[in-house]
Amino acid sequence: MANIREIAKLAGVSVATVSRVLNDYPYVKEEKRKAVWEAVEKLNYTKNINAVHLAKGRTYIVGVMLPYVNHPYFSAIVEGISEEALRCGYHLLLFQTNYDVQKELEALEMLRMKQVDGLIICSRTINWETLEMYKEDGPIVLCEDAKNDDVLSVYIDHYEAFLLGMNYLIGKGHRKIGYCIGRTTGINSQNRHAAYSDALRKIDETPREDWIFDHCLDIDDGKRVVNALCSMKERPTALLVSSDQVAAGIVLWGQSKGLNAPDDLALVSFDNHPISEALSITTIDLPLLLMGQRAFQMVHNCLITGTMAGQAEKLPVRLVERRSV
Amino acid sequence: MANIREIAKLAGVSVATVSRVLNDYPYVKEEKRKAVWEAVEKLNYTKNINAVHLAKGRTYIVGVMLPYVNHPYFSAIVEGISEEALRCGYHLLLFQTNYDVQKELEALEMLRMKQVDGLIICSRTINWETLEMYKEDGPIVLCEDAKNDDVLSVYIDHYEAFLLGMNYLIGKGHRKIGYCIGRTTGINSQNRHAAYSDALRKIDETPREDWIFDHCLDIDDGKRVVNALCSMKERPTALLVSSDQVAAGIVLWGQSKGLNAPDDLALVSFDNHPISEALSITTIDLPLLLMGQRAFQMVHNCLITGTMAGQAEKLPVRLVERRSV
DNA sequence: TATTGCATTGAAACGCATTTCATAAATTAT
DNA sequence: ATAATTTATGAAATGCGTTTCAATGCAATA
C-alpha cells in the first residue's frame, strides 16, 4: 500500500503539499494539485485512517453503550443517535454490555484511549463514582436522569411518567395496581418504583411485592405475567407496564386465558410503539428517537465548542388514551 | 497525556521493555516489570489505541453495513454479530446507509482505509462489480445469497422460503395469492418474486401487480395493506408477508375492519418473531441471530487464518404452522 | 574448559498523516 | 520604488506503540 511519501515523490512535491491537496487546503498551485491527484490515481492510494486518527487525536467516532440492541427501546434510541451522527459525519461504535460492569468499563477505557471522541450511555450498571473518573477523557452523555448537574444528560423523568400513569389509573377508580419492569436496579427503575410507592401511599394502599413483575422486556414476558396473574388468589385490577412489547404480550396472551383488557385488567404501558396503537393500548409516549438525537447533539456540541459544561435536558412525555383502561 | 517513552524514562528501561510489559510478553525481569507498572500507575498512563492500530495495521473492529437499525429483522442480525464479536474481543462499527449508495461506498472505503478489519453487509443497494473492487481490502461477508462463490456469504434462500410459503398456501386450496415486501429491489426481493411467479405459474395463475404490496416493513404498513385490500373489488384470499411485523399489523388492523385471518384472508409471514406466536400467525422461521453469528465467525476466521476462500453457507428455514391459514 | 543456548534488554526502524515554522516568490499597498 | 501582504512550498517535528535485530549476560552441555 502506497503512503503519502510515495505520492509526494511521484508527484515531485513535499508530503506537506500532498496533505494540503488531500485535505483541500488553499495555497497550492493548480498544477501541483493536479500532479498529486494523478499520483494518487496511479498508485491507487488511500489514506490510512489510523494514522490520521493518531495525528489528529480525533476519530470522529462516538461510542454507544447499551445492554443489547435487539429491543425496540434501544434500537429507537440508536436510530436517533445514528441519524444525527450521519448528518455530522460521525460513526457509531457499539458497546454491548449486557449490563456487565466489566464491559461497561471497557467502553469507558475506549474513551480514555481515544478510540472514540465521546460516549453515549443508554443504560448502565456501573456506579456514579466510577463514571466520574472518565469525565476528563471526553464528553459523556447519559440517557437517564443524572440527578446531577456536572454531567450531560438527556432524559425522560420516569418518576413523573410513572406517576402520570398511576394517577390516570387511580383516576379511573383503580386501587389494586401492580407493575412490570425490565430490571429493578438502574436509576430509571428506582425512580419508577418511587413513583409507584408514592402514588399508592396517597390513596392509602401498600405496594405488593407479588404484583411487581421483574425481567419484563419482550412479548414473551407478557405470557409469563399472564400465567402468574392467573394463578393468584387476589390479583391487581390494573398494571403499569414499562414497555409496549410486554403490554402487547399481556393483552394477547390474556385473551387466550380469558383475561381481557380493560375489564379484567387495565393496562397503561410506555413507548407508544406502533404495536400499542394496533392493540389499542393506552400508553405513555416516550420520545426515544428524539432522546437519541439530542444525546448525539450534546456530544457533538461539546466536541466542537470544547466546553463540557454539564447540562441536563428533560424530555416531555404524553399520555395517549386508548382502550386498555 | 503520558506516552510510552515517558514511562520508559521513569522506569529506567527502554520503550521496548515497556511494550513487553504492557503486552505481557516473557523475558522481562520481575523487577523491571514492577518498575514499569509503577511508572504506569504514577503517570496515570493509558495507551493511545490509535497508535496501536497504526502500528499493528489492525483495529479489532468489524463494520456492519445496514439500512437502519430500528427494525427487528436487522436488530436480530446485529445481535447475533455482536454476540460473537464480544466473545472474540472485537467491536462493531455501524454503517447506517438507508440504502444510499454513497453511504455504502463510504463503508467500503473504511475497509480500505483500515478503519475496520472486515465488513458484514446485512443488506445493500450497491452493485456487484463495485463490491468486488474491495475484495482485496479485507474479508467481506454478505448476509444474502451471493449467487457467486468468490465472496463469503451466509444466507437464507428466499426463493426456497417463499416457495415453501406459496406451496403451503396452495396446498390449503388458495389460488388468489398476493404478497407484501419491504422493497422490490435487492437480491432477496428478486428471489422472492421469482418464487412467487413460479409457484403461480405451476397452478396456471398469473401474478397480479395490485396484489403485491411494496414498502412493507412495520406494523403500520399492515394498516395500509388492510385499507388497500378493503377498497378492492377483487381481493386475494391469501398473502405471503415478508415480515411478522407487517403480518401482525394486517391481523390487528384487519380485525377492526372485519377482515379476519384466516377466513377472510390467510397469512403466512416470515421471521418467527415472538409477535407471530402471540398472534398465532403461521410463519416461516428465519435464523437471523444465527445468521449474524455465522457472519461474524466467517469474518473472524478469515482474519485469523489469512485465507479468503469464498464460501457460501445456506441456513435452514422451517414453517411454523399456527392459525392464520 | 569451551560451547551451545536461552534469558534479557535497548537502539532504531516502522507504520503514516498532520501541522508548525521558516523561507521564497508574487502581489498589493503606500 | 519600497514596504507590507498574500501566496506557495518544503523540512522537520509530532502523535505513539510495535517489532526487529544485535548484543550482553549467565547457565547448562560437551
Side-chain angles (χ1 to χ4, degrees), chain A residues 4-5 19 23 45:
Chain A
I4 203 174
R5 271 154 250 274
S19 181
N23 295 292
Y45 168 78

Side-chain angles (χ1 to χ4, degrees), chain A residues 174 235-238 258-267 323-325:
Chain A
H174 293 280
R235 76 166 76 115
T237 62
L259 190 76
N260 293 300
D263 299 331
D264 305 315
L265 182 70
L267 293 172
R323 280 179 272 116
S324 63
V325 178

Side-chain angles (χ1 to χ4, degrees), chain B residues 16 82 89 99 125 143 147 153 162 184 198-199 216 235 239 257 260 269 281 307 325:
Chain B
S82 178
Y99 287 124
T125 298
C143 288
K147 297 264 186 232
S153 63
F162 233 58
T184 49
D198 290 355
C216 288
R235 74 166 78 115
L239 282 182
K257 295 265 185 176
N260 293 300
S269 63
I281 297 171
T307 63
V325 180

Side-chain angles (χ1 to χ4, degrees), chain B residues 132-143:
Chain B
E132 280 209 312
M133 293 169 45
Y134 293 86
K135 273 182 51 180
E136 311 295 309
D137 300 306
I140 300 177
V141 172
L142 280 266
C143 288

Side-chain angles (χ1 to χ4, degrees), chain B residues 75 142 174 229 231 279 287 293 300:
Chain B
S75 52
L142 280 266
H174 292 280
L229 285 172
S231 65
L279 282 167
Q293 292 171 341
H300 191 229

Side-chain angles (χ1 to χ4, degrees), chain B residues 195-235:
Chain B
Y196 173 72
S197 300
D198 290 355
L200 284 186
R201 189 170 311 118
K202 272 241 178 72
I203 55 166
D204 293 313
E205 290 281 340
T206 29
R208 294 221 0 201
E209 272 306 319
D210 57 334
W211 290 354
I212 298 176
F213 301 90
D214 192 10
H215 305 298
C216 288
L217 289 164
D218 264 310
I219 293 182
D220 314 16
D221 298 309
K223 190 179 191 173
R224 218 186 58 230
V225 172
V226 167
N227 288 144
L229 285 172
C230 286
S231 65
M232 279 181 180
K233 323 134 268 318
E234 196 187 3
R235 74 166 78 115

